[in-house]
Amino acid sequence: MKAILTGTFGMAALSLSLLAAPYALAQSSGTSVHSKTTPSAPPAAAPAPVEAPAVPDQQPETQAAAPNAVGAGSAGWDAQFGLAPPQTSQYTGAPEQVAVLDQINAYFNNLKNLEGEFVQTDADDKRKKGRFHIERPGKVRFDYSLPSRQKIISNGKYLAIEDHDLNTTDRYPLESTPFRLLLTEVVDLARDASIIALDIGDKIVVVTLQDREGRAGGQIRLFFDYPQLALKEWIISDAQGLNTRIQLAGLELNKPADPKLFTFSQDLGMPKFRGGSN
């Protein structure tokens, strides 16, 4: 579940996620551990040119549809979207690239609320799904579908990873996560991130980011429909080159969210006492 945020977002990758380090969040006996590493060297051969990835079919049910089989971990998306972006997509600051980056900034800055379903595909090809809510600035919530009872919640200042099965919670300053780039009051990717690559196709735009301030490590790739921009998915690559893919479906824009969604569970992590006499 943490892979939706972690992996290593180097400002090298949302941190959404974004999504998404070094920014690898590890958990040991309910204790949060922040570890920072250096992204591994890119592979010698550049991956195949970027094509529009398969996204979940949008269905009327509240659950996100399972993504099309893409062969993660083999010659599918895992190889296609490795740490090294295609050489033809390197960000040079050319006028066309700057114009598209301005469009991406405007997309997020005009976005107050976003909700929908997500499908998470881990590096081992395991899939999880659920529903998410975003309220800018600063608030997110990811609820994993049963049988999982895990949640990711940001209240605008801290981001909590809650495991209601294990009765544990871990909290991190939002500023230390990849989400800060997209949830800030004013999104300006050129100012706050290093733009590693920007690939512009007929129907898709892919931007690869790295944290300019070095608060996180790894890379995040954001995928948008184009030319009518709409966020469709992101891929977070960690320092070992392992990818976590988050696909979005059934998106609803600027629908007001219940403020309670962004409130932490107050009793999570507290000892459980059974009734009875001493």
Side-chain angles (χ1 to χ4, degrees):
M1 183 270 301
K2 292 180 185 177
I4 200 169
L5 299 172
T6 64
T8 0
F9 172 79
M11 288 310 335
L14 29 231
S15 87
L16 284 174
S17 14
L18 352 155
L19 45 33
Y23 182 88
L25 296 182
Q27 187 175 25
S28 174
S29 302
T31 301
S32 305
V33 179
H34 294 258
S35 62
K36 291 194 175 183
T37 59
T38 302
S40 56
V50 172
E51 299 177 356
V55 296
D57 297 328
Q58 296 190 17
Q59 299 181 356
E61 296 87 346
T62 56
Q63 296 294 340
N68 298 330
V70 195
S74 58
W77 69 266
D78 190 39
Q80 185 176 3
F81 304 111
L83 278 175
Q87 296 299 313
T88 57
S89 70
Q90 298 297 317
Y91 185 74
T92 62
E96 181 186 18
Q97 291 180 321
V98 172
V100 171
L101 196 62
D102 287 343
Q103 286 181 267
I104 294 174
N105 288 334
Y107 171 81
F108 285 112
N109 287 323
N110 291 328
L111 190 67
K112 175 63 175 176
N113 296 85
L114 181 66
E115 66 176 87
E117 293 108 35
F118 70 90
V119 175
Q120 174 180 318
T121 305
D122 297 330
D124 58 3
D125 205 23
K126 291 183 179 178
R127 290 180 173 89
K128 309 176 185 72
K129 59 185 178 179
R131 189 162 185 85
F132 76 93
H133 300 263
I134 295 175
E135 181 175 290
R136 297 187 58 257
K139 298 178 181 179
V140 296
R141 181 180 179 117
F142 287 84
D143 289 283
Y144 286 79
S145 299
L146 294 174
S148 173
R149 296 177 60 225
Q150 297 173 324
K151 306 177 189 296
I152 297 172
I153 304 172
S154 170
N155 64 0
K157 186 175 181 180
Y158 292 96
L159 185 141
I161 299 176
E162 299 187 349
D163 190 323
H164 290 256
D165 293 311
L166 299 178
N167 192 38
T168 61
T169 181
D170 298 282
R171 296 181 185 179
Y172 310 88
L174 183 62
E175 284 294 304
S176 70
T177 76
F179 276 114
R180 70 181 185 85
L181 292 177
L182 307 181
L183 297 179
T184 186
E185 184 75 37
V186 177
V187 173
D188 187 339
L189 296 180
R191 177 194 65 194
D192 298 331
S194 293
I195 313 300
I196 304 302
L198 180 59
D199 192 81
I200 305 170
D202 292 335
K203 297 181 179 180
I204 189 171
V205 164
V206 185
V207 58
T208 305
L209 307 175
Q210 187 172 22
D211 191 358
R212 182 181 296 277
E213 297 184 12
R215 302 185 188 190
Q219 289 188 343
I220 184 170
R221 233 142 308 157
L222 302 173
F223 293 75
F224 299 86
D225 280 344
Y226 185 76
Q228 187 65 37
L229 282 185
L231 180 64
K232 300 302 294 183
E233 71 173 82
W234 62 84
I235 294 176
I236 294 177
S237 302
D238 67 14
Q240 289 71 45
L242 300 178
N243 297 327
T244 298
R245 183 184 195 184
I246 306 298
Q247 297 169 279
L248 309 180
L251 300 182
E252 296 184 71
L253 278 68
N254 296 326
K255 176 183 175 181
D258 185 344
K260 294 180 181 178
L261 287 172
F262 310 108
T263 301
F264 300 146
S265 302
Q266 297 301 312
D267 59 346
L268 193 65
M270 299 295 291
K272 303 294 185 182
F273 297 100
R274 298 182 181 273
S277 57
N278 292 331

